[in-house]
Amino acid sequence: MAVPARRTSKTKKRSRRANQKLTTPAIHWDEKAQAYTLSHHVSDNGYYNGRKVL
């Protein structure tokens, strides 16, 4: 099995792990449905951008 010649530095390791994070979902308050909805998605009541689509 191959062994690395040098240890991975703290900076290299931390910069690689900097992208491994949880992000909050993009939600907004829908006035028609009176509930929070994911952005760019149709709400449970069938509203999108303030209009009934379903």
Side-chain angles (χ1 to χ4, degrees):
M1 187 170 142
V3 178
R6 289 176 192 83
R7 230 176 97 184
T8 305
S9 68
K10 292 177 186 175
T11 306
K12 190 74 170 174
K13 179 171 52 177
R14 288 174 183 168
S15 67
R16 185 178 63 243
R17 291 178 180 172
N19 295 316
Q20 299 175 359
K21 60 186 179 294
L22 296 175
T23 58
T24 57
I27 60 172
H28 70 280
W29 178 253
D30 191 6
E31 291 292 330
K32 296 279 186 173
Q34 293 296 314
Y36 285 104
T37 309
L38 285 172
S39 296
H40 306 287
H41 285 73
V42 179
S43 67
D44 293 336
N45 296 342
Y47 284 96
Y48 182 79
N49 202 15
R51 291 179 291 181
K52 187 84 167 172
V53 292
L54 293 178

